[in-house]
Amino acid sequence: MIIELPNTTTSAIAKRLVESQRDGGVITLARVMTLVIDAKGADADAAIETANVASREHPCRIIVIAPQDGPEARLDAEIRVGGDAGASEVVVLRPSGAQVGHDDTLITPLLLPDAPIVAWWPADVPQECSVTGLGKMAQRRITDAKGSADPAFVLRCLAHDHRKGDTDLAWTRLTRWRALLASALEQVPDPVVTRARIHGDMNSPSILLLGAWLKNVLGCEIEATYDASVSALQHIVLETPSGEIGISRPDGHHATLSQPGQPDHVIALPARTLDECLAEELRRLDDDAVYGETLATFGGLS
C-alpha cells in the first residue's frame, strides 16, 4: 500500500505513519535500525527495491530523500507499507526549493527511537560524507563509488575524510575474492608474494581497492590492467616463489582457482548483487578497520 501525502510536513508524516502502523498491525519494535537513503542523482525506486530486499534480513525503517525540481519550498511524501515495503516501512521524502539541503531536519522526526542510523548514498557521493547533516547523525555511512565518472577521485576523497563507520560497496564486492586469496596463500610453502596482477572492467573501484589491500597486507608490486569489453573483476594472479596462485572468473559466475602443486578447482563465484552487498553491510554496525587501512593505503595516507 502506498499513501500519498502532497504538500505536507514532517509532523503530519509522522502522525500518518503511526496511523498506518496501527491500521496495518505493524510491530515497530521489530525494526532494528533506521536506513536513510540519500537518493540524489540516483534512481529512487531502484534504491528502494534494493533496500526492501535487504530489509528481509534486517527489518528497518527506510527513509528516502529524493529531491524534486521546482522553486517552491514544498515537501511531498509517500508512505509505503505491506507488499510495497518488503519487511520494512518506507517513507519517501520529495523536498523542493528551500526544503532541499536540510536532510537532518527532515528526517529527525521520523527516526526510530533508540535505534542505530545507517546512511546510504547509492549514487552521488559527497566529498565529505561525515560532515554532512546526514553523515553526522549516522553510525554507519555506506557509499558506492562504482557509478562515479571518476571512482579514483571519489576513493581519494573518501580516504581523506574517512571516519569510523564508513564503508563503500566497492569494498563489499571483494569479500569473497579476499577470502579465497587468503585461504589459497595459507596452503603454499612460501607465501611471500612478489607481484599481484589484476584484470577487470574499466574504472573499477573494486580493482583499485583490491590492489591497495594487497599492497597493504603483502607489500607486493601491483599490476592492474583494464578492458572496456568486460564486466567486473575478471582475474587475479599472485606471484610467489612456490608458483602462481590464480583466480579467473571470465563468465561472471564460476571461477577457476589455480594453486602450485594442485589441480585446478572450479568454484561458484557469482557477481554479487547490490542487495546482497547492502545486506552484508547492514549486518555490521561496528567499524571496518581493514577497509580504513586499505583506503588509507590507496589515498597515500599510510
Side-chain angles (χ1 to χ4, degrees), residues 243-281:
E244 293 186 345
I245 297 172
I247 302 175
S248 179
R249 188 186 63 180
D251 65 356
H253 299 283
H254 297 89
T256 300
L257 173 63
S258 303
Q259 299 169 270
Q262 297 188 32
D264 290 351
H265 301 280
V266 177
I267 54 178
L269 189 62
R272 307 193 71 185
T273 63
L274 186 57
D275 51 84
E276 286 176 335
C277 292
L278 181 61
E280 177 180 325
E281 290 305 328

PDB file of all heavy atoms in Angstrom, residues 243-281:
ATOM      1  N   GLY A 243      55.246 -20.603  -6.883  1.00  0.00           N
ATOM      2  CA  GLY A 243      54.446 -20.648  -8.105  1.00  0.00           C
ATOM      3  C   GLY A 243      53.323 -19.626  -8.051  1.00  0.00           C
ATOM      4  O   GLY A 243      53.196 -18.849  -7.098  1.00  0.00           O
ATOM      5  N   GLU A 244      52.488 -19.625  -9.061  1.00  0.00           N
ATOM      6  CA  GLU A 244      51.424 -18.642  -9.159  1.00  0.00           C
ATOM      7  C   GLU A 244      50.103 -19.153  -8.566  1.00  0.00           C
ATOM      8  O   GLU A 244      49.725 -20.307  -8.780  1.00  0.00           O
ATOM      9  CB  GLU A 244      51.194 -18.241 -10.615  1.00  0.00           C
ATOM     10  CG  GLU A 244      52.362 -17.482 -11.233  1.00  0.00           C
ATOM     11  CD  GLU A 244      52.037 -16.980 -12.631  1.00  0.00           C
ATOM     12  OE1 GLU A 244      51.033 -17.464 -13.216  1.00  0.00           O
ATOM     13  OE2 GLU A 244      52.768 -16.114 -13.143  1.00  0.00           O
ATOM     14  N   ILE A 245      49.444 -18.278  -7.822  1.00  0.00           N
ATOM     15  CA  ILE A 245      48.084 -18.519  -7.339  1.00  0.00           C
ATOM     16  C   ILE A 245      47.161 -17.652  -8.184  1.00  0.00           C
ATOM     17  O   ILE A 245      47.359 -16.446  -8.300  1.00  0.00           O
ATOM     18  CB  ILE A 245      47.938 -18.138  -5.852  1.00  0.00           C
ATOM     19  CG1 ILE A 245      48.847 -19.006  -4.985  1.00  0.00           C
ATOM     20  CG2 ILE A 245      46.488 -18.259  -5.405  1.00  0.00           C
ATOM     21  CD1 ILE A 245      48.907 -18.554  -3.542  1.00  0.00           C
ATOM     22  N   GLY A 246      46.172 -18.271  -8.801  1.00  0.00           N
ATOM     23  CA  GLY A 246      45.303 -17.517  -9.687  1.00  0.00           C
ATOM     24  C   GLY A 246      43.824 -17.796  -9.460  1.00  0.00           C
ATOM     25  O   GLY A 246      43.435 -18.919  -9.132  1.00  0.00           O
ATOM     26  N   ILE A 247      43.024 -16.763  -9.617  1.00  0.00           N
ATOM     27  CA  ILE A 247      41.563 -16.896  -9.623  1.00  0.00           C
ATOM     28  C   ILE A 247      41.066 -16.214 -10.884  1.00  0.00           C
ATOM     29  O   ILE A 247      41.304 -15.023 -11.088  1.00  0.00           O
ATOM     30  CB  ILE A 247      40.898 -16.248  -8.389  1.00  0.00           C
ATOM     31  CG1 ILE A 247      41.439 -16.853  -7.099  1.00  0.00           C
ATOM     32  CG2 ILE A 247      39.384 -16.418  -8.456  1.00  0.00           C
ATOM     33  CD1 ILE A 247      40.901 -16.177  -5.847  1.00  0.00           C
ATOM     34  N   SER A 248      40.396 -16.972 -11.737  1.00  0.00           N
ATOM     35  CA  SER A 248      39.899 -16.439 -13.008  1.00  0.00           C
ATOM     36  C   SER A 248      38.393 -16.652 -13.093  1.00  0.00           C
ATOM     37  O   SER A 248      37.911 -17.775 -12.916  1.00  0.00           O
ATOM     38  CB  SER A 248      40.595 -17.134 -14.178  1.00  0.00           C
ATOM     39  OG  SER A 248      40.108 -16.641 -15.411  1.00  0.00           O
ATOM     40  N   ARG A 249      37.648 -15.566 -13.378  1.00  0.00           N
ATOM     41  CA  ARG A 249      36.195 -15.658 -13.478  1.00  0.00           C
ATOM     42  C   ARG A 249      35.729 -14.955 -14.763  1.00  0.00           C
ATOM     43  O   ARG A 249      35.173 -13.862 -14.725  1.00  0.00           O
ATOM     44  CB  ARG A 249      35.526 -15.025 -12.254  1.00  0.00           C
ATOM     45  CG  ARG A 249      34.015 -15.250 -12.190  1.00  0.00           C
ATOM     46  CD  ARG A 249      33.367 -14.491 -11.049  1.00  0.00           C
ATOM     47  NE  ARG A 249      33.505 -13.055 -11.198  1.00  0.00           N
ATOM     48  CZ  ARG A 249      33.027 -12.158 -10.326  1.00  0.00           C
ATOM     49  NH1 ARG A 249      32.411 -12.561  -9.243  1.00  0.00           N
ATOM     50  NH2 ARG A 249      33.184 -10.864 -10.526  1.00  0.00           N
ATOM     51  N   PRO A 250      35.940 -15.571 -15.914  1.00  0.00           N
ATOM     52  CA  PRO A 250      35.603 -14.909 -17.176  1.00  0.00           C
ATOM     53  C   PRO A 250      34.112 -14.774 -17.440  1.00  0.00           C
ATOM     54  O   PRO A 250      33.689 -13.875 -18.169  1.00  0.00           O
ATOM     55  CB  PRO A 250      36.277 -15.786 -18.231  1.00  0.00           C
ATOM     56  CG  PRO A 250      36.352 -17.142 -17.608  1.00  0.00           C
ATOM     57  CD  PRO A 250      36.588 -16.891 -16.146  1.00  0.00           C
ATOM     58  N   ASP A 251      33.288 -15.670 -16.870  1.00  0.00           N
ATOM     59  CA  ASP A 251      31.855 -15.632 -17.175  1.00  0.00           C
ATOM     60  C   ASP A 251      31.024 -14.913 -16.126  1.00  0.00           C
ATOM     61  O   ASP A 251      29.803 -14.784 -16.267  1.00  0.00           O
ATOM     62  CB  ASP A 251      31.308 -17.044 -17.370  1.00  0.00           C
ATOM     63  CG  ASP A 251      31.370 -17.894 -16.097  1.00  0.00           C
ATOM     64  OD1 ASP A 251      31.908 -17.394 -15.076  1.00  0.00           O
ATOM     65  OD2 ASP A 251      30.877 -19.030 -16.118  1.00  0.00           O
ATOM     66  N   GLY A 252      31.673 -14.436 -15.065  1.00  0.00           N
ATOM     67  CA  GLY A 252      30.946 -13.727 -14.027  1.00  0.00           C
ATOM     68  C   GLY A 252      30.182 -14.618 -13.074  1.00  0.00           C
ATOM     69  O   GLY A 252      29.469 -14.127 -12.195  1.00  0.00           O
ATOM     70  N   HIS A 253      30.306 -15.932 -13.219  1.00  0.00           N
ATOM     71  CA  HIS A 253      29.549 -16.861 -12.375  1.00  0.00           C
ATOM     72  C   HIS A 253      30.442 -17.909 -11.710  1.00  0.00           C
ATOM     73  O   HIS A 253      30.305 -18.173 -10.524  1.00  0.00           O
ATOM     74  CB  HIS A 253      28.471 -17.566 -13.196  1.00  0.00           C
ATOM     75  CG  HIS A 253      27.459 -16.643 -13.789  1.00  0.00           C
ATOM     76  ND1 HIS A 253      26.440 -16.095 -13.051  1.00  0.00           N
ATOM     77  CD2 HIS A 253      27.318 -16.161 -15.051  1.00  0.00           C
ATOM     78  CE1 HIS A 253      25.704 -15.309 -13.826  1.00  0.00           C
ATOM     79  NE2 HIS A 253      26.207 -15.335 -15.041  1.00  0.00           N
ATOM     80  N   HIS A 254      31.321 -18.531 -12.500  1.00  0.00           N
ATOM     81  CA  HIS A 254      32.193 -19.586 -11.976  1.00  0.00           C
ATOM     82  C   HIS A 254      33.651 -19.175 -12.134  1.00  0.00           C
ATOM     83  O   HIS A 254      34.033 -18.565 -13.132  1.00  0.00           O
ATOM     84  CB  HIS A 254      31.948 -20.906 -12.702  1.00  0.00           C
ATOM     85  CG  HIS A 254      30.557 -21.436 -12.508  1.00  0.00           C
ATOM     86  ND1 HIS A 254      29.514 -21.089 -13.338  1.00  0.00           N
ATOM     87  CD2 HIS A 254      30.041 -22.283 -11.569  1.00  0.00           C
ATOM     88  CE1 HIS A 254      28.409 -21.689 -12.923  1.00  0.00           C
ATOM     89  NE2 HIS A 254      28.705 -22.425 -11.855  1.00  0.00           N
ATOM     90  N   ALA A 255      34.434 -19.520 -11.130  1.00  0.00           N
ATOM     91  CA  ALA A 255      35.848 -19.164 -11.138  1.00  0.00           C
ATOM     92  C   ALA A 255      36.707 -20.415 -11.085  1.00  0.00           C
ATOM     93  O   ALA A 255      36.311 -21.441 -10.520  1.00  0.00           O
ATOM     94  CB  ALA A 255      36.173 -18.260  -9.952  1.00  0.00           C
ATOM     95  N   THR A 256      37.884 -20.318 -11.690  1.00  0.00           N
ATOM     96  CA  THR A 256      38.874 -21.393 -11.632  1.00  0.00           C
ATOM     97  C   THR A 256      39.985 -20.967 -10.687  1.00  0.00           C
ATOM     98  O   THR A 256      40.616 -19.925 -10.893  1.00  0.00           O
ATOM     99  CB  THR A 256      39.459 -21.690 -13.019  1.00  0.00           C
ATOM    100  OG1 THR A 256      38.412 -22.083 -13.908  1.00  0.00           O
ATOM    101  CG2 THR A 256      40.489 -22.806 -12.936  1.00  0.00           C
ATOM    102  N   LEU A 257      40.204 -21.761  -9.655  1.00  0.00           N
ATOM    103  CA  LEU A 257      41.252 -21.490  -8.677  1.00  0.00           C
ATOM    104  C   LEU A 257      42.457 -22.351  -9.004  1.00  0.00           C
ATOM    105  O   LEU A 257      42.360 -23.581  -9.036  1.00  0.00           O
ATOM    106  CB  LEU A 257      40.756 -21.785  -7.266  1.00  0.00           C
ATOM    107  CG  LEU A 257      41.790 -21.718  -6.130  1.00  0.00           C
ATOM    108  CD1 LEU A 257      42.350 -20.308  -5.997  1.00  0.00           C
ATOM    109  CD2 LEU A 257      41.169 -22.178  -4.808  1.00  0.00           C
ATOM    110  N   SER A 258      43.591 -21.705  -9.243  1.00  0.00           N
ATOM    111  CA  SER A 258      44.841 -22.414  -9.558  1.00  0.00           C
ATOM    112  C   SER A 258      45.832 -22.197  -8.421  1.00  0.00           C
ATOM    113  O   SER A 258      46.023 -21.071  -7.959  1.00  0.00           O
ATOM    114  CB  SER A 258      45.438 -21.881 -10.866  1.00  0.00           C
ATOM    115  OG  SER A 258      44.515 -22.011 -11.926  1.00  0.00           O
ATOM    116  N   GLN A 259      46.460 -23.304  -7.978  1.00  0.00           N
ATOM    117  CA  GLN A 259      47.429 -23.242  -6.897  1.00  0.00           C
ATOM    118  C   GLN A 259      48.626 -24.121  -7.237  1.00  0.00           C
ATOM    119  O   GLN A 259      48.478 -25.153  -7.909  1.00  0.00           O
ATOM    120  CB  GLN A 259      46.800 -23.734  -5.585  1.00  0.00           C
ATOM    121  CG  GLN A 259      45.608 -22.913  -5.112  1.00  0.00           C
ATOM    122  CD  GLN A 259      44.861 -23.593  -3.980  1.00  0.00           C
ATOM    123  OE1 GLN A 259      43.942 -24.367  -4.223  1.00  0.00           O
ATOM    124  NE2 GLN A 259      45.255 -23.303  -2.747  1.00  0.00           N
ATOM    125  N   PRO A 260      49.817 -23.752  -6.793  1.00  0.00           N
ATOM    126  CA  PRO A 260      51.011 -24.556  -7.083  1.00  0.00           C
ATOM    127  C   PRO A 260      50.892 -25.973  -6.549  1.00  0.00           C
ATOM    128  O   PRO A 260      50.509 -26.187  -5.397  1.00  0.00           O
ATOM    129  CB  PRO A 260      52.126 -23.789  -6.364  1.00  0.00           C
ATOM    130  CG  PRO A 260      51.618 -22.400  -6.203  1.00  0.00           C
ATOM    131  CD  PRO A 260      50.133 -22.542  -6.022  1.00  0.00           C
ATOM    132  N   GLY A 261      51.166 -26.947  -7.398  1.00  0.00           N
ATOM    133  CA  GLY A 261      51.183 -28.336  -6.974  1.00  0.00           C
ATOM    134  C   GLY A 261      49.822 -28.958  -6.766  1.00  0.00           C
ATOM    135  O   GLY A 261      49.725 -30.072  -6.239  1.00  0.00           O
ATOM    136  N   GLN A 262      48.750 -28.276  -7.184  1.00  0.00           N
ATOM    137  CA  GLN A 262      47.404 -28.823  -7.007  1.00  0.00           C
ATOM    138  C   GLN A 262      46.623 -28.709  -8.315  1.00  0.00           C
ATOM    139  O   GLN A 262      46.886 -27.822  -9.122  1.00  0.00           O
ATOM    140  CB  GLN A 262      46.646 -28.070  -5.897  1.00  0.00           C
ATOM    141  CG  GLN A 262      47.258 -28.184  -4.519  1.00  0.00           C
ATOM    142  CD  GLN A 262      46.354 -27.572  -3.451  1.00  0.00           C
ATOM    143  OE1 GLN A 262      45.133 -27.603  -3.564  1.00  0.00           O
ATOM    144  NE2 GLN A 262      46.962 -27.038  -2.395  1.00  0.00           N
ATOM    145  N   PRO A 263      45.669 -29.599  -8.524  1.00  0.00           N
ATOM    146  CA  PRO A 263      44.823 -29.466  -9.720  1.00  0.00           C
ATOM    147  C   PRO A 263      43.926 -28.232  -9.598  1.00  0.00           C
ATOM    148  O   PRO A 263      43.612 -27.781  -8.495  1.00  0.00           O
ATOM    149  CB  PRO A 263      44.003 -30.759  -9.720  1.00  0.00           C
ATOM    150  CG  PRO A 263      43.981 -31.193  -8.286  1.00  0.00           C
ATOM    151  CD  PRO A 263      45.311 -30.778  -7.711  1.00  0.00           C
ATOM    152  N   ASP A 264      43.521 -27.701 -10.731  1.00  0.00           N
ATOM    153  CA  ASP A 264      42.625 -26.553 -10.736  1.00  0.00           C
ATOM    154  C   ASP A 264      41.262 -26.941 -10.151  1.00  0.00           C
ATOM    155  O   ASP A 264      40.794 -28.072 -10.315  1.00  0.00           O
ATOM    156  CB  ASP A 264      42.432 -26.013 -12.156  1.00  0.00           C
ATOM    157  CG  ASP A 264      43.689 -25.342 -12.687  1.00  0.00           C
ATOM    158  OD1 ASP A 264      44.630 -25.146 -11.893  1.00  0.00           O
ATOM    159  OD2 ASP A 264      43.722 -25.018 -13.882  1.00  0.00           O
ATOM    160  N   HIS A 265      40.635 -25.982  -9.491  1.00  0.00           N
ATOM    161  CA  HIS A 265      39.309 -26.194  -8.908  1.00  0.00           C
ATOM    162  C   HIS A 265      38.352 -25.170  -9.497  1.00  0.00           C
ATOM    163  O   HIS A 265      38.671 -23.985  -9.577  1.00  0.00           O
ATOM    164  CB  HIS A 265      39.340 -26.035  -7.382  1.00  0.00           C
ATOM    165  CG  HIS A 265      40.270 -26.975  -6.685  1.00  0.00           C
ATOM    166  ND1 HIS A 265      39.938 -28.285  -6.424  1.00  0.00           N
ATOM    167  CD2 HIS A 265      41.521 -26.794  -6.189  1.00  0.00           C
ATOM    168  CE1 HIS A 265      40.939 -28.881  -5.787  1.00  0.00           C
ATOM    169  NE2 HIS A 265      41.920 -27.988  -5.635  1.00  0.00           N
ATOM    170  N   VAL A 266      37.176 -25.615  -9.900  1.00  0.00           N
ATOM    171  CA  VAL A 266      36.123 -24.717 -10.360  1.00  0.00           C
ATOM    172  C   VAL A 266      35.168 -24.488  -9.193  1.00  0.00           C
ATOM    173  O   VAL A 266      34.642 -25.436  -8.610  1.00  0.00           O
ATOM    174  CB  VAL A 266      35.366 -25.304 -11.570  1.00  0.00           C
ATOM    175  CG1 VAL A 266      34.222 -24.367 -11.975  1.00  0.00           C
ATOM    176  CG2 VAL A 266      36.316 -25.520 -12.737  1.00  0.00           C
ATOM    177  N   ILE A 267      34.956 -23.226  -8.857  1.00  0.00           N
ATOM    178  CA  ILE A 267      34.120 -22.871  -7.710  1.00  0.00           C
ATOM    179  C   ILE A 267      33.073 -21.854  -8.141  1.00  0.00           C
ATOM    180  O   ILE A 267      33.255 -21.107  -9.110  1.00  0.00           O
ATOM    181  CB  ILE A 267      34.967 -22.284  -6.562  1.00  0.00           C
ATOM    182  CG1 ILE A 267      35.802 -21.101  -7.072  1.00  0.00           C
ATOM    183  CG2 ILE A 267      35.853 -23.338  -5.956  1.00  0.00           C
ATOM    184  CD1 ILE A 267      36.622 -20.427  -6.010  1.00  0.00           C
ATOM    185  N   ALA A 268      31.964 -21.850  -7.426  1.00  0.00           N
ATOM    186  CA  ALA A 268      30.916 -20.867  -7.694  1.00  0.00           C
ATOM    187  C   ALA A 268      31.344 -19.519  -7.128  1.00  0.00           C
ATOM    188  O   ALA A 268      31.636 -19.411  -5.933  1.00  0.00           O
ATOM    189  CB  ALA A 268      29.594 -21.312  -7.073  1.00  0.00           C
ATOM    190  N   LEU A 269      31.376 -18.515  -7.977  1.00  0.00           N
ATOM    191  CA  LEU A 269      31.756 -17.170  -7.547  1.00  0.00           C
ATOM    192  C   LEU A 269      30.951 -16.145  -8.347  1.00  0.00           C
ATOM    193  O   LEU A 269      31.488 -15.371  -9.134  1.00  0.00           O
ATOM    194  CB  LEU A 269      33.265 -16.941  -7.741  1.00  0.00           C
ATOM    195  CG  LEU A 269      33.857 -15.659  -7.147  1.00  0.00           C
ATOM    196  CD1 LEU A 269      33.707 -15.639  -5.629  1.00  0.00           C
ATOM    197  CD2 LEU A 269      35.320 -15.510  -7.549  1.00  0.00           C
ATOM    198  N   PRO A 270      29.630 -16.135  -8.159  1.00  0.00           N
ATOM    199  CA  PRO A 270      28.799 -15.209  -8.935  1.00  0.00           C
ATOM    200  C   PRO A 270      29.042 -13.770  -8.536  1.00  0.00           C
ATOM    201  O   PRO A 270      29.367 -13.480  -7.371  1.00  0.00           O
ATOM    202  CB  PRO A 270      27.373 -15.647  -8.590  1.00  0.00           C
ATOM    203  CG  PRO A 270      27.492 -16.283  -7.241  1.00  0.00           C
ATOM    204  CD  PRO A 270      28.835 -16.948  -7.221  1.00  0.00           C
ATOM    205  N   ALA A 271      28.889 -12.875  -9.505  1.00  0.00           N
ATOM    206  CA  ALA A 271      28.981 -11.450  -9.197  1.00  0.00           C
ATOM    207  C   ALA A 271      27.897 -11.098  -8.188  1.00  0.00           C
ATOM    208  O   ALA A 271      26.750 -11.517  -8.315  1.00  0.00           O
ATOM    209  CB  ALA A 271      28.821 -10.629 -10.472  1.00  0.00           C
ATOM    210  N   ARG A 272      28.249 -10.338  -7.188  1.00  0.00           N
ATOM    211  CA  ARG A 272      27.315 -10.044  -6.114  1.00  0.00           C
ATOM    212  C   ARG A 272      26.310  -8.982  -6.539  1.00  0.00           C
ATOM    213  O   ARG A 272      26.660  -8.001  -7.195  1.00  0.00           O
ATOM    214  CB  ARG A 272      28.074  -9.580  -4.870  1.00  0.00           C
ATOM    215  CG  ARG A 272      29.164 -10.538  -4.439  1.00  0.00           C
ATOM    216  CD  ARG A 272      29.663 -10.209  -3.065  1.00  0.00           C
ATOM    217  NE  ARG A 272      28.664 -10.538  -2.046  1.00  0.00           N
ATOM    218  CZ  ARG A 272      28.828 -10.245  -0.755  1.00  0.00           C
ATOM    219  NH1 ARG A 272      29.910  -9.620  -0.354  1.00  0.00           N
ATOM    220  NH2 ARG A 272      27.904 -10.581   0.111  1.00  0.00           N
ATOM    221  N   THR A 273      25.074  -9.191  -6.154  1.00  0.00           N
ATOM    222  CA  THR A 273      24.045  -8.209  -6.458  1.00  0.00           C
ATOM    223  C   THR A 273      24.125  -7.060  -5.457  1.00  0.00           C
ATOM    224  O   THR A 273      24.717  -7.180  -4.374  1.00  0.00           O
ATOM    225  CB  THR A 273      22.647  -8.836  -6.389  1.00  0.00           C
ATOM    226  OG1 THR A 273      22.402  -9.285  -5.041  1.00  0.00           O
ATOM    227  CG2 THR A 273      22.535 -10.016  -7.351  1.00  0.00           C
ATOM    228  N   LEU A 274      23.496  -5.950  -5.826  1.00  0.00           N
ATOM    229  CA  LEU A 274      23.530  -4.773  -4.963  1.00  0.00           C
ATOM    230  C   LEU A 274      22.850  -5.049  -3.626  1.00  0.00           C
ATOM    231  O   LEU A 274      23.344  -4.634  -2.568  1.00  0.00           O
ATOM    232  CB  LEU A 274      22.861  -3.594  -5.674  1.00  0.00           C
ATOM    233  CG  LEU A 274      22.936  -2.237  -4.974  1.00  0.00           C
ATOM    234  CD1 LEU A 274      24.377  -1.829  -4.719  1.00  0.00           C
ATOM    235  CD2 LEU A 274      22.214  -1.174  -5.802  1.00  0.00           C
ATOM    236  N   ASP A 275      21.725  -5.770  -3.645  1.00  0.00           N
ATOM    237  CA  ASP A 275      21.032  -6.034  -2.383  1.00  0.00           C
ATOM    238  C   ASP A 275      21.836  -6.971  -1.484  1.00  0.00           C
ATOM    239  O   ASP A 275      21.793  -6.856  -0.258  1.00  0.00           O
ATOM    240  CB  ASP A 275      19.624  -6.585  -2.626  1.00  0.00           C
ATOM    241  CG  ASP A 275      19.589  -7.760  -3.578  1.00  0.00           C
ATOM    242  OD1 ASP A 275      19.806  -8.884  -3.120  1.00  0.00           O
ATOM    243  OD2 ASP A 275      19.354  -7.548  -4.780  1.00  0.00           O
ATOM    244  N   GLU A 276      22.617  -7.891  -2.071  1.00  0.00           N
ATOM    245  CA  GLU A 276      23.485  -8.760  -1.268  1.00  0.00           C
ATOM    246  C   GLU A 276      24.562  -7.935  -0.566  1.00  0.00           C
ATOM    247  O   GLU A 276      24.870  -8.158   0.617  1.00  0.00           O
ATOM    248  CB  GLU A 276      24.145  -9.816  -2.146  1.00  0.00           C
ATOM    249  CG  GLU A 276      23.226 -10.934  -2.612  1.00  0.00           C
ATOM    250  CD  GLU A 276      23.912 -11.894  -3.561  1.00  0.00           C
ATOM    251  OE1 GLU A 276      24.882 -11.494  -4.230  1.00  0.00           O
ATOM    252  OE2 GLU A 276      23.464 -13.051  -3.636  1.00  0.00           O
ATOM    253  N   CYS A 277      25.140  -6.990  -1.313  1.00  0.00           N
ATOM    254  CA  CYS A 277      26.193  -6.151  -0.730  1.00  0.00           C
ATOM    255  C   CYS A 277      25.635  -5.259   0.375  1.00  0.00           C
ATOM    256  O   CYS A 277      26.250  -5.104   1.436  1.00  0.00           O
ATOM    257  CB  CYS A 277      26.845  -5.298  -1.825  1.00  0.00           C
ATOM    258  SG  CYS A 277      27.793  -6.236  -3.035  1.00  0.00           S
ATOM    259  N   LEU A 278      24.464  -4.656   0.121  1.00  0.00           N
ATOM    260  CA  LEU A 278      23.862  -3.802   1.137  1.00  0.00           C
ATOM    261  C   LEU A 278      23.513  -4.612   2.384  1.00  0.00           C
ATOM    262  O   LEU A 278      23.766  -4.175   3.519  1.00  0.00           O
ATOM    263  CB  LEU A 278      22.617  -3.116   0.579  1.00  0.00           C
ATOM    264  CG  LEU A 278      21.888  -2.165   1.531  1.00  0.00           C
ATOM    265  CD1 LEU A 278      22.797  -1.019   1.942  1.00  0.00           C
ATOM    266  CD2 LEU A 278      20.604  -1.635   0.891  1.00  0.00           C
ATOM    267  N   ALA A 279      22.950  -5.806   2.192  1.00  0.00           N
ATOM    268  CA  ALA A 279      22.591  -6.655   3.333  1.00  0.00           C
ATOM    269  C   ALA A 279      23.826  -7.018   4.157  1.00  0.00           C
ATOM    270  O   ALA A 279      23.770  -7.046   5.396  1.00  0.00           O
ATOM    271  CB  ALA A 279      21.888  -7.923   2.844  1.00  0.00           C
ATOM    272  N   GLU A 280      24.950  -7.281   3.488  1.00  0.00           N
ATOM    273  CA  GLU A 280      26.179  -7.602   4.226  1.00  0.00           C
ATOM    274  C   GLU A 280      26.608  -6.438   5.100  1.00  0.00           C
ATOM    275  O   GLU A 280      26.994  -6.630   6.266  1.00  0.00           O
ATOM    276  CB  GLU A 280      27.311  -7.960   3.261  1.00  0.00           C
ATOM    277  CG  GLU A 280      28.624  -8.238   3.973  1.00  0.00           C
ATOM    278  CD  GLU A 280      29.769  -8.609   3.040  1.00  0.00           C
ATOM    279  OE1 GLU A 280      29.513  -9.282   2.027  1.00  0.00           O
ATOM    280  OE2 GLU A 280      30.916  -8.217   3.322  1.00  0.00           O
ATOM    281  N   GLU A 281      26.540  -5.228   4.572  1.00  0.00           N
ATOM    282  CA  GLU A 281      26.979  -4.073   5.347  1.00  0.00           C
ATOM    283  C   GLU A 281      26.022  -3.754   6.484  1.00  0.00           C
ATOM    284  O   GLU A 281      26.437  -3.212   7.514  1.00  0.00           O
ATOM    285  CB  GLU A 281      27.150  -2.852   4.438  1.00  0.00           C
ATOM    286  CG  GLU A 281      28.332  -2.952   3.488  1.00  0.00           C
ATOM    287  CD  GLU A 281      29.644  -3.227   4.207  1.00  0.00           C
ATOM    288  OE1 GLU A 281      29.802  -2.771   5.366  1.00  0.00           O
ATOM    289  OE2 GLU A 281      30.509  -3.906   3.641  1.00  0.00           O
TER     290      GLU A 281
END
